[in-house]
Amino acid sequence: MTTIRREVLTLPAAPLGPDNPLPPLRPLDEAHRIDDRDRADLPRDMARQVDYEPLRSLLPVQVRDGYGRGRAPSGLDALVIENDRLRATVLPALGGRIASLRHKPTDRELLYVNPVLQPANFALNGAWFSGGIEWNIGATGHTTLSCSPVHAARVPAPDGGQMLRLWEWERLRDLPFQVDLWLPDGSDFLYVGARIRNPHEHPVPTYWWSNIAVPEDRRVLAPADEAWHFGYERRLRRVPVPEYDGIDRTYPLNSTYAADYFYEVPEDRRRWIAALDEHGHGLVQTSTDVLRGRKLFVWGTGPGGRRWQEWLTEPGTGGYCEIQAGLVRTQLEHVRLEAESEVSWLEAYGPLDAPPEGDWHSVLRAAEDRLEAALPRADVDGAYDAWLPYADAEPGERLATGSGWGALEVLRADWKLPGTPFDEDTLGEQQRPWLHLLRAGSLPEPEHHEPPGGTLVARPWRDMLETTAATPLAEYHLGVAQWHGGDRAQAVRSWERGLQSLQGLESAQSPRSPRSAQGPGAAADRWPLLRCLAVADREDGHHERAADRYAEAFADLCARRPDGPRDAGGDSRWTAVAAALGGEAIGALLAAGRTADARAVWERLEPATRARGRFRLTEAELLAAEGRREEARAVFDEGFEVADLREGAESIGLLWARLDDAPLPARYDFRMRPDRE
């Protein structure tokens, strides 16, 4: 019979560290955007969905950039669901990722299993890691839940056994979702029932891609003769399958540069994708027709792709590619989920044995015949019909706890969400001030000198902020919510009112009016408001004023630095906010040509902060701006690793090109596109 149990998975892991305490006000640096030259040639429905509500802000989510590159053996909580044929290992604290899927009769691992846990800057909000099967919900890119906990529990399965349910509240779109893992007795296939619900009274854009890592020495099969090719030069083109530019691209190692291939699966064809080794053994994924899209992602064999492969794991452990399944043709699109509605589907994952070599259509036909014999298409539809009534089944034993954000939203709106309870006992410290706003109508002041914490930006919370007492803290949060909503002028006015209120408190040291701050307390910290105004100035092209405000904000933060020892790793709350604000300030001061002021900020950062790879790169940029080219070049010679280097970022290569005519050293080469467009 199917069993579900707890285990501890031990592997070398880099700690996640603290989140960035500054609200992400600047636009997303997202690589997956289409060049305008290609829009006219898109099918009408694709063009419409590409333009439908693309994500423009990470708010209310904070950036996760506190991790490093130092790994130590760590125990990760795991949940194992298995029958007599398959064993799936799930990591509930890391987005519900399926870390391993092992076929027991053949003793074959069906996925690419990363031997380490190394965060890297690939998720929408930063920290992400490679390997296994991940559930991407929210918007184009890897989910913000990549390294966050989800709720997990046992629930009844349609065959009388038990399922493992994972569920959470996705904050970018404010949507609850669930993933039910079901292993029928004797089945070679893991069933995955997935559902996204929109409890709101208005439509919401949604997005889903199931992302499956497999070893890259495979041939990838999908029932298509064409694909949409998207590379990091941001061009989207329709190309033939399997050969493009005279090369069979269904072999991941045949490509030089990183690229996506979104397969154009005909409407009447079964939805499936497989990755088979040279002997014809591998993994197949299939689904009900709602999950329309299929994709192959390759890193390529160029130096940049190889460097990223090493960066995400350990040298010599083998590379991987990704096969994926989503709601639409490409990951550049979002779909409209109507008010008070839901979308659901069923996926199946299991072994496939079929000949990978030969004529494309013959290979596809043979693989599809083998799939139909192992798991008929009608059986997938039947499993979905059997699962759907159980999607509302109330969870039994709780196996893991996610965030309290869903509980807060359910309390606010009194939503009923059968099958995915967001219980009040999951509310935590992050939700505490917002629960107080909801129940008492006011925001409590944080402890003295603590960063303000995250802001809730959805319209109902913004309405509450507009009617609460206009303390400097409330004006700060209101401005962030207004900025997210596109009301930038109002946001600036709110932040300026907050500063004026602080100035009044500092001069009068008494309440001004019923809408003034209730005593000095933590309201004496000016840097959060100054930093927001500096971002606004920089976005509007006022670089000199932005530099002034950044310098003033950093000076204010340093003046209020609390006494007492830091922890050994330099990751105290003060250190985290000083690093985040200091890094932004140096960038703004350099952009304004104020190298001396940038150097002054650099000198006030803690030594542990300056030693981090991100700040070693900043040091080289600062030295170059000061005209000290040889010293800047020496930073490269000494070596550094920017742990949070962004996918597609080229900052290291651009700085190197300013300092040296020699080729970029391999250790710094993360380029994901050809030099020409």
Side-chain angles (χ1 to χ4, degrees):
M1 294 182 61
T2 299
T3 61
I4 300 173
R5 67 180 186 277
R6 290 185 173 94
E7 280 191 359
V8 175
L9 181 64
T10 301
L11 73 168
L16 284 172
D19 288 354
N20 189 316
L22 306 180
L25 299 177
R26 303 196 73 183
L28 288 174
D29 182 18
E30 176 52 52
H32 301 93
R33 300 200 188 282
I34 299 176
D35 191 298
D36 287 339
R37 290 173 288 179
D38 299 327
R39 288 179 179 271
D41 296 328
L42 300 181
R44 190 169 300 175
D45 62 332
M46 185 189 292
R48 182 175 63 251
Q49 290 171 162
V50 164
D51 291 331
Y52 177 55
E53 297 291 337
L55 192 68
R56 294 180 174 86
S57 168
L58 271 181
L59 291 165
V61 177
Q62 291 178 287
V63 172
R64 312 200 74 172
D65 60 1
Y67 52 88
R69 299 280 300 167
R71 298 191 288 264
S74 304
L76 303 178
D77 290 336
L79 299 172
V80 176
I81 176 170
E82 85 178 292
N83 63 5
D84 58 334
R85 312 288 294 176
L86 282 176
R87 180 170 64 249
T89 303
V90 181
L91 303 177
L94 296 167
R97 181 84 59 101
I98 297 180
S100 168
L101 184 62
R102 196 158 198 91
H103 187 237
K104 294 162 70 173
T106 58
D107 196 29
R108 289 191 193 122
E109 175 58 55
L110 301 181
L111 306 174
Y112 167 78
V113 176
N114 197 332
V116 304
L117 175 61
Q118 177 56 63
N121 194 356
F122 278 75
L124 286 165
N125 61 332
W128 173 86
F129 65 103
S130 63
I133 304 172
E134 61 176 313
W135 319 112
N136 287 302
I137 181 175
T140 298
H142 292 282
T143 176
T144 62
L145 295 167
S146 293
C147 292
S148 296
V150 298
H151 302 282
R154 301 178 195 267
V155 292
D159 60 356
Q162 52 187 340
M163 295 188 294
L164 174 59
R165 174 163 299 163
L166 310 170
W167 74 99
E168 197 31 283
W169 194 274
E170 200 287 309
R171 300 182 67 205
L172 294 179
R173 305 299 197 182
D174 263 340
L175 298 176
F177 72 98
Q178 72 189 77
V179 173
D180 288 353
L181 306 180
W182 172 27
L183 264 178
D185 193 33
S187 174
D188 278 312
F189 285 84
L190 172 68
Y191 291 151
V192 178
R195 175 168 65 167
I196 306 171
R197 286 190 277 197
N198 176 13
H200 302 281
E201 296 179 347
H202 55 82
V204 176
T206 192
Y207 171 98
W208 183 280
W209 282 81
S210 300
N211 185 354
I212 310 137
V214 293
E216 64 182 350
D217 57 346
R218 299 289 188 267
R219 189 180 197 189
V220 173
L221 311 180
D225 293 324
E226 291 183 313
W228 293 92
H229 171 271
F230 184 77
Y232 283 80
E233 63 272 27
R234 302 188 179 185
R235 300 302 305 273
L236 184 67
R237 302 183 181 95
R238 195 192 297 257
V239 299
V241 175
E243 289 191 6
Y244 164 47
D245 274 355
I247 299 171
D248 190 332
R249 306 289 177 166
T250 63
Y251 293 90
L253 290 173
N254 281 353
S255 292
T256 304
Y257 296 100
D260 299 326
Y261 293 91
F262 299 103
Y263 294 111
E264 189 71 74
V265 180
E267 289 291 338
D268 60 343
R269 292 292 292 272
R270 182 176 184 176
R271 265 58 181 162
W272 63 276
I273 189 167
L276 305 178
D277 66 18
E278 60 181 341
H279 305 294
H281 307 311
L283 171 80
V284 64
Q285 186 271 1
T286 187
S287 71
T288 49
D289 289 351
V290 166
L291 207 62
R292 174 184 182 180
R294 293 297 185 274
K295 170 194 161 181
L296 165 65
F297 167 75
V298 299
W299 281 107
T301 57
R306 293 300 93 189
R307 186 70 181 104
W308 275 116
Q309 293 266 29
E310 294 176 352
W311 189 254
L312 294 169
T313 181
E314 291 183 332
T317 55
Y320 75 97
C321 64
E322 294 168 358
I323 58 175
Q324 303 186 22
L327 286 174
V328 285
R329 281 189 183 97
T330 75
Q331 290 174 330
L332 308 168
E333 304 166 68
H334 299 89
V335 295
R336 178 184 175 102
L337 189 57
E338 297 296 340
E340 299 177 335
S341 69
E342 63 183 49
V343 59
S344 61
W345 62 92
L346 187 126
E347 305 178 48
Y349 296 81
L352 182 68
D353 292 304
E357 306 288 348
D359 169 71
W360 179 242
H361 292 107
S362 299
V363 168
L364 287 183
R365 197 157 45 245
E368 205 157 38
D369 288 345
R370 295 284 182 90
L371 174 59
E372 185 67 17
L375 182 64
R377 184 178 188 179
D379 286 4
V380 175
D381 293 335
Y384 170 75
D385 293 337
W387 164 75
L388 196 55
Y390 288 81
D392 284 347
E394 286 306 305
E397 179 191 2
R398 303 302 172 89
L399 301 171
T401 302
S403 78
W405 295 115
L408 185 67
E409 293 300 328
V410 166
L411 279 175
R412 180 190 63 78
D414 194 30
W415 280 316
K416 309 301 179 188
L417 300 169
T420 54
F422 294 95
D423 297 329
E424 197 167 337
D425 63 7
T426 63
L427 292 166
E429 192 62 26
Q430 289 182 307
Q431 292 80 43
R432 184 184 63 81
W434 301 98
L435 184 63
H436 194 275
L437 177 63
L438 180 65
R439 289 178 167 167
S442 63
L443 277 173
E445 294 291 335
E447 294 296 322
H448 196 46
H449 299 303
E450 292 294 333
T455 302
L456 294 182
V457 297
R459 189 72 218 198
W461 294 104
R462 176 175 164 181
D463 291 344
M464 284 184 250
L465 288 169
E466 287 176 340
T467 56
T468 191
T471 64
L473 179 65
E475 297 284 18
Y476 164 84
H477 284 299
L478 175 58
V480 174
Q482 291 167 330
W483 183 272
H484 172 266
D487 297 332
R488 294 195 170 190
Q490 288 283 7
V492 168
R493 281 193 283 271
S494 294
W495 294 326
E496 288 175 340
R497 281 197 306 268
L499 276 181
Q500 291 166 2
S501 179
L502 281 175
Q503 290 165 356
L505 284 168
E506 290 168 356
S507 60
Q509 289 296 304
S510 63
R512 292 168 42 248
S513 70
R515 283 180 56 79
S516 67
Q518 304 300 308
D525 289 0
R526 303 172 67 242
W527 65 263
L529 292 158
L530 285 166
R531 182 264 177 177
C532 289
L533 288 168
V535 173
D537 284 334
R538 198 168 184 190
E539 287 297 294
D540 290 339
H542 304 306
H543 296 293
E544 190 64 35
R545 191 166 66 193
D548 286 340
R549 281 174 161 160
Y550 264 121
E552 187 180 356
F554 190 74
D556 182 71
L557 176 67
C558 291
R560 305 181 191 284
R561 173 177 176 169
D563 295 327
R566 306 290 177 272
D567 59 66
D571 283 333
S572 68
R573 290 193 181 186
W574 190 93
T575 301
V577 73
L581 183 58
E584 288 188 10
I586 291 171
L589 289 162
L590 288 179
R594 292 166 53 172
T595 55
D597 291 335
R599 172 63 64 180
V601 172
W602 169 264
E603 296 294 343
R604 299 188 75 174
L605 293 172
E606 289 191 2
T609 297
R610 296 201 299 263
R612 288 164 51 185
R614 166 62 60 188
F615 286 88
R616 292 286 284 152
L617 177 60
T618 298
E619 180 183 19
E621 292 169 340
L622 179 56
L623 288 166
E626 291 170 331
R628 299 156 67 181
R629 290 169 52 91
E630 292 301 317
E631 292 172 79
R633 176 66 172 72
V635 173
F636 281 85
D637 293 338
E638 292 165 12
F640 60 88
E641 291 185 326
V642 181
D644 62 330
L645 186 69
R646 184 65 177 165
E647 172 190 12
E650 299 180 352
S651 53
I652 294 177
L654 292 173
L655 178 58
W656 173 267
R658 289 167 52 196
L659 301 174
D660 201 310
D661 294 331
L664 181 65
R667 66 180 299 181
Y668 300 119
D669 191 350
F670 293 90
R671 291 172 293 187
M672 299 177 74
R673 65 185 178 97
D675 292 334
R676 59 177 176 80
E677 296 229 344

